[in-house]
Amino acid sequence: MTTGIVTIDKPEGLTSQGVVGRVRRLFEQKSVGHGGTLDPMATGVLPVFLGRATRASSYALEGDKTYAARFRFGISTDTQDITGRTLAVCARIPARDEIAAVLPRFTGEISQVPPMYSAIQKDGQRLYDLARRGIEVEREARRVVIHALKTLSADESPFGEAGEDELDVVVTCSKGTYIRTLCADIGDALGCGAAMAALRRLKTGAFTLENAYTLDALEKMKENGTLGEAVRPCDLLFAELPALTLDAEGEARIRRGAPVYLMRPAGRYRLYGPAGGFLGLGAVRETDRRPELMIEKGMME
């Protein structure tokens, strides 16, 4: 069984679960999962976890994300993107300087109401299931952080030249941010409405387009017998944490879920055995006696 992470450049029109199915067939194994859903219309970075690395897939959701998005002004839809049913059309398209003047209001910590067409659960039901049945329910606003919101020129945009009613932007944001909701809220602030016309994820946590593979590229690598080269170690997910190598006794204790007592500052660590194998994520906490290391997420066999 292969263990590790493959960064996929998801194509348009395929669900994230559809990508998982393709990767599962390529690697001929059942234990496969993804780290952060992309809508079918979206493209770009989708980390896919193989084998024991699936235990860490939830950590991929924690980091900041960077997206390129195309906002289309003068239209509002029920999905907040152009795949949805049109709710309103506005003939007035704001000028670029008018849009630029509004954007600073949507940077920093802002409040978002999640869209009805989302995977959030309400009373045990997915919101998108309710929305498809014509049911709208109240959703609590969430606080998210927009670290940066930058407009793109045609040369910079991955979508090519934008139309007169469109604007391409790069958004760097915290987890839980809905870019199509950001688009709709900006359109509402301008009084003309807006819907997301395209979305490409450029980065999520430690994963970027620079080390991403298309599904077609992976197919060719399998034919050439080089598929394993696309798999990266799962400790990449915790690269920002300090590494801590245990001795044989410490590894044995961690493997059976017992604490290890050692003089280390409190905090989280990447844990390795004396032979260099990645054991997982651990946390040192202060106790009445001495610092105590416990496994937080195990990656060992």
Side-chain angles (χ1 to χ4, degrees):
M1 180 177 69
T2 301
T3 290
I5 307 169
V6 180
T7 307
I8 303 296
D9 184 352
K10 189 189 90 65
E12 185 177 359
L14 192 62
T15 65
S16 297
Q17 282 301 325
V19 171
V20 167
R22 290 276 299 273
V23 173
R24 184 177 287 124
R25 289 191 292 274
L26 279 166
F27 285 88
E28 300 176 9
Q29 65 183 55
K30 294 182 178 179
S31 185
V32 181
H34 67 76
T37 301
L38 281 175
D39 291 339
M41 75 173 289
T43 67
V45 175
L46 181 68
V48 175
F49 294 75
L50 309 171
R52 295 188 307 279
T54 56
R55 303 171 189 173
S57 60
S58 61
Y59 288 88
L61 305 175
E62 298 300 315
D64 291 338
K65 279 78 172 163
T66 301
Y67 298 90
R70 172 163 288 179
F71 296 170
R72 184 172 297 170
F73 295 95
I75 182 173
S76 300
T77 73
D78 58 352
T79 60
Q80 299 180 333
D81 60 42
I82 59 170
T83 68
R85 178 172 57 90
T86 300
L87 301 177
V89 175
C90 179
R92 188 187 71 84
I93 304 301
R96 293 303 168 97
D97 57 350
E98 186 180 354
I99 298 171
V102 164
L103 294 184
R105 290 164 49 184
F106 293 89
T107 56
E109 186 175 310
I110 65 171
S111 181
Q112 275 195 340
V113 176
M116 277 301 301
Y117 281 88
S118 65
I120 294 172
Q121 290 197 16
K122 177 80 170 181
D123 299 327
Q125 297 186 75
R126 299 286 186 187
L127 290 184
Y128 57 67
D129 287 331
L130 295 173
R132 287 166 183 162
R133 296 187 342 239
I135 301 171
E136 182 166 353
V137 296
E138 186 175 348
R139 290 95 67 201
E140 290 186 7
R142 298 181 172 188
R143 303 300 289 180
V144 298
V145 179
I146 308 299
H147 299 291
L149 187 55
K150 174 183 177 292
T151 60
L152 294 175
S153 65
D155 292 339
E156 297 171 311
S157 174
F159 313 119
E161 187 171 355
E164 292 185 1
D165 58 349
E166 295 175 331
L167 179 70
D168 293 343
V169 299
V170 165
V171 184
T172 301
C173 57
S174 65
K175 69 172 184 176
T177 303
Y178 286 93
I179 305 301
R180 50 199 164 98
T181 299
L182 176 66
C183 171
D185 289 346
I186 290 172
D188 289 344
L190 289 163
C192 62
M196 190 178 72
L199 183 69
R200 183 160 176 77
R201 186 153 66 191
L202 309 177
K203 184 177 185 293
T204 177
F207 307 98
T208 65
L209 279 174
E210 285 70 29
N211 51 46
Y213 295 86
T214 66
L215 292 170
D216 288 343
L218 292 180
E219 294 279 3
K220 292 179 180 177
M221 292 175 74
K222 183 170 184 177
E223 293 173 4
N224 297 333
T226 60
L227 187 59
E229 296 177 5
V231 182
R232 306 175 75 190
C234 57
D235 55 349
L236 167 72
L237 195 58
F238 311 110
E240 77 284 357
L241 298 178
L244 178 56
T245 299
L246 303 175
D247 59 20
E249 180 184 355
E251 178 181 1
R253 291 182 66 84
I254 284 295
R255 283 183 175 274
R256 64 175 184 266
V260 176
Y261 299 100
L262 73 178
M263 298 305 295
R264 289 279 180 161
R268 301 165 88 195
Y269 293 84
R270 287 178 286 131
L271 303 183
Y272 298 88
F278 180 53
L279 302 177
L281 182 65
V284 174
R285 62 184 181 89
E286 299 287 350
T287 68
D288 293 337
R289 294 176 293 172
R290 50 185 166 163
E292 179 183 88
L293 170 69
M294 290 290 292
I295 191 74
E296 178 181 316
K297 178 65 70 171
M299 302 297 162
M300 49 273 192
E301 295 180 356

